[in-house]
Amino acid sequence: MSLKISFQKDAPKTVLCVGVHENSPVVCDPSCGDQTVSDLITKAVANSTFKGKLSQSLSIFTPAGQRLILIGLGPKEDKKTDNREVYWQKIGSAISCVLSCIGCTEASVDIHGEGEEDSFVLPNMALGTLLRSWRFEKYFTKKQPDELFRLKQVTFQTATLEAVEKAFAPLAIVAEGVFLTRELVTEPANVVTPATLALTAMSLQKVGVTVEVLEEADMKKLGMGALLGVGQGSAHDSKVAIMRWEGGQKGEAPIAFVGKGVTFDTGGLSLKPSTSMEDMKDDMGGAGVVIGLMQTLALRKAKVNAVGVIAIVENMPSSTAQRPSDVVTSLSGQTIEVLNTDAEGRLILADALWYTQDRFKPKFMIDLATLTGAMIVALGKERAGLFATDDGLADKLLKAGEQVNELLWRFPLDDAYDKEINSTIADMKNIGSGRGAGSITAAKFLQRFVNNVPWAHLDIASVTLMDKDIPMAAKGATAFGVRLLNRFVADNYEGK
Ligand code: BES
Ligand code: MN
Ligand code: ZN
């Protein structure tokens, strides 16, 4: 059962979270009690390692037996330099952590900003608590030891109920989108097969998204040889799912999102080593983000026309698999020498990008893909790579990333890198010639399938699956990109 967030004027206070600033005399919020409680907190701070640092926490009991959870708010000063949304989200995340750590099932929170409205502070805090509390538990057949104590309900105390609830509604919708994406990424590849991923896209029809699925026969007719080549070794048929949300002006060109949906990437005949091959269930992460984003736009009735196109294949070695050295003809007509069957993401995106620009004439295209391991070498797991042909588009994406704390770093697309992918027998080959710049040559490959439409590519290989907890997600799937792109759309393309 997932966490229920609510807001109330008078929340029950058996377990109460209160905020404590760093390096400032503790003054307890009047609603949490009297001078004795305030003194208690002062003593607790003096006698423990809890000093009110941002995201620190301490659980204490009042003489009356009430559990008080002190949440560090950091220093009082310095408000202007912070991203205040992220600041409050991190505090919400700290609340989730301490509550689940001490085994509380229910708590109320009485934390407010100084000079900041509850309708700004509380929705962000609640979002942080919600995102950080998400767990994937469906495959446990036995009760987990701590299951009885799983966090079920957090109530935030406020005097301005209506305004807070109104501001939280769109954030709760984004959280739903994030959870859908996390679920898809976390599910193993025997569950999220090409067919189930396409069905999930189809399920967005119930929220008003128009969805079509291209089957292999359709793709053959169209000439998607690059995409079909990748999927030909799998027992599962390849698909392309096309999702359309029409919330903008009738007839206005859409904005387009394209996702890599490799439900499992063994590498194909250029087989990956077994170490960490299991992580390749996340290779549909880009497609997962596009699905989560489209659901979010539809549920919050975004005033924009948007299309999401996801290329869905499984990359397997078998007697029908494509061989290193095969030459395929892409939808664009350009031929590709497949020198490494593990560089498959760019092959399926080549056809998906071409199809998208050709059919929809979008304002711009943004693709998301767990495209290269080299991204992790370059950026670690802190940021995702951004490549763009358009500075305005790049800046908007960088800014949206900073606003939601899903950070991007822009890489070059210099022409000099382009010759790396020239082939001796076809228009291009699917890997670079030389050493290094693996993420850039992959992006240059994609660029050969983009015409005059502004285009950005997000290589999310570094951030889709985390091996440790981060503020907005427990270890595992992050859904990096859903909040970023939702914000990017909301701030720039909804005619406000
Ligand atoms: N899906 C992988 C990239 C990847 C690797 C994502 C590790 C997340 C973690 C992609 O299809 C791939 O295999 N890329 C190759 C390209 C190479 C063969 C040119 C890579 O990065 O090794
Ligand atoms: Mn691969
Ligand atoms: Zn891959």
Side-chain angles (χ1 to χ4, degrees), residues 160-406:
T160 55
L161 197 57
E162 253 172 63
V164 171
E165 281 179 342
K166 190 165 169 238
F168 183 62
L171 300 188
I173 289 174
V174 182
E176 285 302 310
V178 165
F179 296 162
L180 173 58
T181 304
R182 285 184 186 173
E183 225 166 87
L184 288 170
V185 170
T186 310
E187 285 282 10
N190 62 330
V191 174
V192 173
T193 61
T196 29
L197 198 53
L199 275 178
T200 310
M202 285 295 273
S203 75
L204 295 192
Q205 284 176 323
K206 67 180 183 290
V207 296
V209 177
T210 309
V211 189
E212 296 156 66
V213 174
L214 303 182
E215 301 294 340
E216 286 192 349
D218 305 313
M219 293 187 260
K220 244 174 230 147
K221 223 180 275 169
L222 287 162
M224 293 187 162
L227 190 157
L228 287 167
V230 175
Q232 78 187 29
S234 169
H236 297 282
D237 283 351
S238 304
K239 320 251 176 196
V240 169
I242 300 139
M243 294 159 270
R244 275 184 290 161
W245 167 249
E246 270 149 10
Q249 302 278 344
K250 232 187 148 56
E252 190 178 343
I255 60 179
F257 303 95
V258 178
K260 169 177 173 182
V262 178
T263 59
F264 197 77
D265 181 13
T266 63
L269 287 174
S270 311
L271 192 64
K272 284 184 182 297
S274 51
T275 325
S276 300
M277 195 199 272
E278 67 271 17
D279 286 351
M280 287 303 111
K281 72 171 180 178
D282 85 342
D283 214 18
M284 36 55 67
V289 169
V290 173
I291 293 176
L293 174 69
M294 294 304 290
Q295 174 181 281
T296 304
L297 296 179
L299 282 178
R300 64 173 189 76
K301 303 212 179 319
K303 292 189 184 60
V304 69
N305 295 337
V307 301
V309 175
I310 57 178
I312 313 172
V313 300
E314 186 183 45
N315 190 19
M316 292 297 252
S318 75
S319 67
T320 60
Q322 74 180 342
R323 293 149 288 258
S325 80
D326 282 4
V327 174
V328 294
T329 303
S330 67
L331 178 62
S332 73
Q334 302 175 93
T335 55
I336 305 160
E337 186 186 14
V338 179
L339 287 182
N340 188 321
T341 63
D342 197 12
E344 85 297 341
R346 63 198 76 183
L347 294 169
I348 66 170
L349 286 173
D351 282 346
L353 285 166
W354 191 270
Y355 180 82
T356 304
Q357 74 190 345
D358 203 43
R359 172 164 173 198
F360 295 106
K361 315 273 183 278
K363 284 198 179 119
F364 57 77
M365 296 193 287
I366 298 173
D367 77 74
L368 298 104
T370 48
L371 201 64
T372 61
M375 207 69 251
I376 307 169
V377 177
L379 294 176
K381 296 184 78 70
E382 300 299 332
R383 288 181 185 243
L386 164 68
F387 301 78
T389 54
D390 184 281
D391 291 344
L393 189 57
D395 289 344
K396 290 186 182 100
L397 287 165
L398 285 165
K399 182 159 177 230
E402 264 162 31
Q403 273 161 330
V404 304
N405 202 29
E406 290 183 339

Side-chain angles (χ1 to χ4, degrees), residues 26-28 34-47 60:
V26 176
V27 184
C28 190
D34 47 27
Q35 190 57 38
T36 24
V37 173
S38 188
D39 291 346
L40 194 69
I41 296 177
T42 312
K43 276 189 200 133
V45 173
N47 297 319
I60 60 175

